[in-house]
Amino acid sequence: GDSVTQMEGPVTLSEEAFLTINCTYTATGYPSLFWYVQYPGEGLQLLLKATKADDKGSNKGFEATYRKETTSFHLEKGSVQVSDSAVYFCALSDPPDMRFGAGTRLTVKP
Amino acid sequence: NAGVTQTPKFQVLKTGQSMTLQCAQDMNHEYMSWYRQDPGMGLRLIHYSVGAGITDQGEVPNGYNVSRSTTEDFPLRLLSAAPSQTSVYFCASSSGHIEAFFGQGTRLTVV
């Protein structure tokens, strides 16, 4: 079945450092890909998405490109802030199925 | 904008007790689903529904029942709670390939 594998954490960075969180997927169809973010005590919020190969999703300085050839959707940000500290989940959607990675906890120190 | 509303936010149960976690959405989404979140395991799908009157099992359905009598509501029932069901539960709704919208979660402890 469909699955998502993402880089295990936790990840600790200094403010203004470059962030990459790796995500690869396995799917039989043509899923949409997502990154969600979860702040402490809250539900998941959509960060960005891409619905087809070579699409780039972007939001709040975060980017990820849907790479069909490498079945990847890595999350990047050029300069992280303390407020980016959260848990990040990679996910794929092939309705009605939605699969999530295990989550990567990011801590950004001042 | 209410979105997806889950109740209760917190619950403590004794082993063997039953309870229902409520979930309601006001976006007219056809898809609704229940996940549990456990440390290091991400979100695992318990049950899902593709429309009123239609439900199906996800990855970890044992010990849980669902029904979908209306588009808006998708309750999750624990028939006889076990300590292994201690978790954070999230309800989500979506429409097609657009993103899923999540509730705030229910933190359940079974003692």
Side-chain angles (χ1 to χ4, degrees), chain B residues 23-44:
Chain B
C23 176
Q25 54 97 2
D26 62 359
M27 297 171 281
N28 202 34
H29 286 164
E30 64 267 36
Y31 300 129
M32 294 187 74
S33 48
W34 277 101
Y35 297 87
R36 57 178 290 171
Q37 183 180 24
D38 300 295
M41 303 189 76
L43 277 75
R44 291 183 292 168

Side-chain angles (χ1 to χ4, degrees), chain A residues 70-99:
Chain A
T70 54
T71 62
S72 64
F73 193 55
H74 305 320
L75 181 69
E76 296 182 336
K77 187 174 185 182
S79 176
V80 294
Q81 305 300 312
V82 172
S83 57
D84 293 327
S85 297
V87 181
Y88 293 82
F89 292 91
C90 186
L92 69 80
S93 172
D94 198 4
D97 203 3
M98 190 160 200
R99 299 286 172 145

Side-chain angles (χ1 to χ4, degrees), chain A residues 19-110:
Chain A
L19 169 71
T20 300
I21 301 177
N22 290 338
C23 172
T24 57
Y25 68 91
T26 303
T28 53
Y30 300 93
S32 294
L33 300 175
F34 305 87
W35 278 99
Y36 283 86
V37 59
Q38 184 181 33
Y39 299 103
E42 298 186 10
L44 277 70
Q45 304 171 28
L46 179 70
L47 179 60
L48 53 84
K49 66 179 180 182
T51 57
K52 61 183 187 299
D54 300 325
D55 270 3
K56 178 187 281 189
S58 61
N59 186 27
K60 299 180 182 179
F62 291 89
E63 292 184 340
T65 302
Y66 190 163
R67 301 280 188 206
K68 194 163 181 289
E69 64 275 13
T70 54
T71 62
S72 64
F73 193 55
H74 305 320
L75 181 69
E76 296 182 336
K77 187 174 185 182
S79 176
V80 294
Q81 305 300 312
V82 172
S83 57
D84 293 327
S85 297
V87 181
Y88 293 82
F89 292 91
C90 186
L92 69 80
S93 172
D94 198 4
D97 203 3
M98 190 160 200
R99 299 286 172 145
F100 290 84
T104 302
R105 182 177 298 279
L106 170 67
T107 301
V108 181
K109 295 186 180 301

